[in-house]
Amino acid sequence: MKSSLAKNAIYKVILNVFNLLVPLFVGPYVAGLLTPELYGVYNRVYAEFQVFFIVGAFGIYNYGVREISKVRNDKKRFGSIFTSLFVIGILSNLLVTIFYIGYIIVRGNGIDQYVYLVMIIQMVSNVFYIEFVNEAVENYRFIAIKTILIRILYLISIFAFVRKPTDVIIYSVVVSMTVLLNNLASFFYLKRQYKFDFTNVKILCHIMPLIVNLIFTNVELLYGQLDKVLLGAFVNDIAVTEYTLPTTLAGMLSTIPLSLITVAIPRLSKYIGENDRESYINTLKSTCRTYMAILIPMSFGVMVLAKEIMWLYSKDVYTYTYPVLICAALSRIVFGYQSIMTYLVMYVNSMEKKLTVLLFQGGIINCILNFSLILTDKFSALSSLITTMIAVLVFIFLASRYAKNKLALSGIFVTKEIVGYFVTAMCFIPISIGVNLLNLGYIWNIVIEIVLCVVVYGFYMLYTKDPLVEIVLSKFRR
């Protein structure tokens, strides 16, 4: 089961690059094909469904990764935790599905009622979502291969079956069946590797930690998810799309560096379980530096090309939403620090209660700011995203102070290397302004700006002999 963190990251990066490429093919096709009204209905319904979906998941995934990572060499405890979490997942999803059906009866009307009903497929798939075991044992090779094959099937299905501007139901079915197939594939694979141990099922001892995880997950709904739900309720369905498309696009691009966060969680949990503080600090420091070395230039790159990207991605249907993409791109740096503080610092150190309080405080701030905008009639996709960034910044400030006091963590999150990445990436702005003055058109703007920005950033990395360059070169030499 033992594998290198670098190899795990490579598998995760390959997977996330593929997961990035598929939406880049599907997204423009669907956004350009479906009518704005029906696409808005889908995005609104999906935003509301996600609330039920996440509650049904009951925080089992993150909790399972952490707990199984600690006991993965203890077969008896491994089987007990694995089986217990599976049983709890069945019960939680069954209960939430009942409430969701009641919500459909009250809320559903017309075409959106059918979209609500199709989403039940994903709720059923939630029962079989035991991928946390693969994450805990660092089996990223299987995750990558399996997901790539299923995503290829998803890509084929979209182009084969979603053919008309009114095919929103068919699109919903394809998306939901892909989620179900992905979860079933992992379920049957893991069933061959690890057996359920129903003789040693323990429910009550996991309930309180899972409730804390559930609250923690629900608190995060007070951020981006709340924005989308409020936009659908107080503006219109199209406003949900204006928010969803740019933020999803920026989020997809950030999944590549986010791989470092994901694969580091089980390893850091292992070090904490073994009381190996030195290894924990060193791994945390290198992960933060490498994460920001990739995330910061990507975010600035998307920011300077926001208008061209929205033109290319939405087939000029939603090009006018490029200011939202500019804000969303910069927000990825903020959310990047939130991910580090949430998962690599507080969560792996079992600080869920304090984490929940801090996230709740930031979420309440976001909620107050959103309703202030609604009352002043200034609530929009752009303004709601700005309030979310403010709320997340408050959380980062409070969480970093707490971590510094409780864990004596300093000199990790803001270093001269990270400041260097930020300053160099800011050079992308004058480059973009200069290229745009040439009036060469969107395509040439994209090509020339990418080349120039990559050259500038690459020269800086080579000149400073950044550790990331050394890591990449050593892997190629080997």
Side-chain angles (χ1 to χ4, degrees):
M1 290 184 186
K2 188 176 181 180
S3 56
S4 73
L5 199 59
K7 185 180 291 186
N8 291 339
I10 290 171
Y11 279 125
K12 195 70 175 178
V13 167
I14 292 172
L15 174 60
N16 284 342
V17 168
F18 190 83
N19 281 337
L20 168 64
L21 293 176
V22 170
L24 287 178
F25 283 109
V26 172
Y29 176 76
V30 173
L33 176 67
L34 298 180
T35 65
E37 291 75 18
L38 287 178
Y39 196 39
V41 167
Y42 173 83
N43 286 318
R44 172 178 56 79
V45 171
Y46 186 71
E48 295 171 6
F49 164 75
Q50 279 291 298
V51 176
F52 293 91
F53 187 77
I54 293 173
V55 174
F58 203 50
I60 291 174
Y61 191 95
N62 289 333
Y63 178 75
V65 171
R66 190 187 67 183
E67 294 305 306
I68 290 181
S69 296
K70 294 178 180 178
V71 301
R72 61 187 187 182
N73 295 324
D74 187 332
K75 186 175 181 180
K76 185 175 180 60
R77 293 179 66 191
F78 184 106
S80 174
I81 295 174
F82 172 41
T83 309
S84 300
L85 293 180
F86 178 71
V87 172
I88 292 171
I90 293 175
L91 297 175
S92 65
N93 282 290
L94 178 61
L95 181 62
V96 171
T97 300
I98 294 172
F99 281 100
Y100 179 65
I101 292 173
Y103 181 81
I104 294 174
I105 294 172
V106 175
R107 175 72 168 165
N109 183 30
I111 190 71
D112 61 352
Q113 186 172 43
Y114 295 100
V115 180
Y116 279 121
L117 289 170
V118 170
M119 296 294 179
I120 294 178
I121 297 173
Q122 295 189 48
M123 192 65 75
V124 172
S125 74
N126 225 0
V127 173
F128 303 99
Y129 192 42
I130 56 174
E131 195 83 276
F132 60 85
V133 178
N134 277 321
E135 290 264 8
V137 300
E138 302 184 42
N139 189 9
Y140 293 102
R141 181 176 182 273
F142 167 77
I143 297 174
I145 295 173
K146 176 261 304 184
T147 308
I148 287 173
L149 291 176
I150 291 175
R151 296 291 278 180
I152 290 173
L153 180 61
Y154 163 75
L155 182 64
I156 295 171
S157 299
I158 288 293
F159 289 109
F161 300 113
V162 183
R163 306 294 295 273
K164 301 192 297 293
T166 56
D167 282 346
V168 66
I169 302 298
I170 297 175
Y171 175 61
S172 303
V173 171
V174 172
V175 172
S176 298
M177 289 302 297
T178 301
V179 174
L180 177 61
L181 181 60
N182 181 73
N183 293 353
L184 286 175
S186 290
F187 177 80
F188 287 114
Y189 171 81
L190 286 167
K191 276 287 293 163
R192 293 174 57 189
Q193 304 291 321
Y194 311 103
K195 303 300 181 183
F196 286 126
D197 182 11
F198 291 101
T199 62
N200 197 28
V201 171
K202 297 178 180 178
I203 303 295
L204 294 180
C205 67
H206 297 294
I207 294 299
M208 282 308 298
L210 284 171
I211 288 176
V212 172
N213 272 271
L214 175 61
I215 296 172
F216 154 64
T217 305
N218 278 321
V219 165
E220 289 205 316
L221 296 179
L222 292 174
Y223 293 86
Q225 205 66 28
L226 175 68
D227 293 343
K228 288 183 278 190
V229 172
L230 291 179
L231 284 169
F234 291 98
V235 185
N236 53 51
D237 291 349
I238 295 178
V240 181
T241 301
E242 293 170 352
Y243 183 100
T244 301
L245 274 184
T247 54
T248 301
L249 188 55
M252 285 191 304
L253 293 172
S254 69
T255 57
I256 298 174
L258 192 61
S259 308
L260 296 166
I261 300 290
T262 306
V263 302
I265 292 173
R267 186 62 58 88
L268 291 174
S269 298
K270 178 176 178 291
Y271 290 146
I272 291 170
E274 296 171 350
N275 293 317
D276 188 352
R277 179 173 172 80
E278 183 180 355
S279 296
Y280 169 77
I281 294 294
N282 291 336
T283 303
L284 176 61
K285 186 178 296 185
S286 63
T287 301
C288 291
R289 185 189 65 241
T290 306
Y291 181 41
M292 288 300 164
I294 302 171
L295 180 63
I296 290 173
M298 289 186 68
S299 298
F300 273 88
V302 173
M303 181 194 74
V304 299
L305 285 170
K307 191 170 186 178
E308 289 84 353
I309 290 173
M310 288 310 304
W311 169 80
L312 187 65
Y313 186 78
S314 69
K315 295 183 178 179
D316 207 22
V317 177
Y318 300 98
T319 304
Y320 66 93
T321 63
Y322 76 90
V324 183
L325 182 56
I326 291 175
C327 186
L330 291 177
S331 74
R332 296 323 304 179
I333 301 174
V334 177
F335 289 131
Y337 272 110
Q338 182 202 24
S339 297
I340 291 171
M341 296 305 305
T342 298
Y343 297 106
L344 302 190
V345 177
M346 301 192 71
Y347 185 72
V348 297
N349 282 285
S350 301
M351 295 179 173
E352 294 99 321
K353 292 182 180 180
K354 184 63 179 180
L355 175 60
T356 302
V357 171
L358 294 178
L359 282 170
F360 186 76
Q361 289 174 350
I364 291 299
I365 291 172
N366 186 44
C367 190
I368 292 172
L369 292 174
N370 277 340
F371 278 103
S372 298
L373 291 171
I374 291 170
L375 292 175
T376 57
D377 200 27
K378 294 180 180 179
F379 190 57
S380 66
L382 180 60
S383 63
S384 62
L385 183 55
I386 292 173
T387 62
T388 300
M389 285 180 61
I390 294 171
V392 173
L393 283 170
V394 171
F395 163 77
I396 293 170
F397 174 74
L398 296 175
S400 60
R401 286 185 59 189
Y402 184 81
K404 183 177 180 179
N405 293 332
K406 293 294 182 180
L407 300 175
L409 296 178
S410 60
I412 294 176
F413 311 115
V414 180
T415 64
K416 65 177 183 179
E417 290 88 2
I418 293 176
V419 172
Y421 304 148
F422 194 91
V423 172
T424 306
M426 289 184 67
C427 295
F428 298 175
I429 298 174
I431 290 174
S432 176
I433 294 173
V435 173
N436 277 277
L437 289 175
L438 300 176
N439 293 319
L440 299 174
Y442 287 153
I443 297 298
W444 279 111
N445 281 0
I446 294 173
V447 173
I448 295 174
E449 287 182 42
I450 288 177
V451 171
L452 292 177
C453 291
V454 168
V455 169
V456 168
Y457 196 76
F459 176 79
Y460 169 78
M461 297 288 279
L462 290 170
Y463 178 76
T464 58
K465 297 181 180 179
D466 190 89
L468 179 59
V469 176
E470 294 298 320
I471 293 172
V472 174
L473 291 178
S474 66
K475 291 297 177 184
F476 274 109
R477 284 195 293 266
R478 289 175 57 187

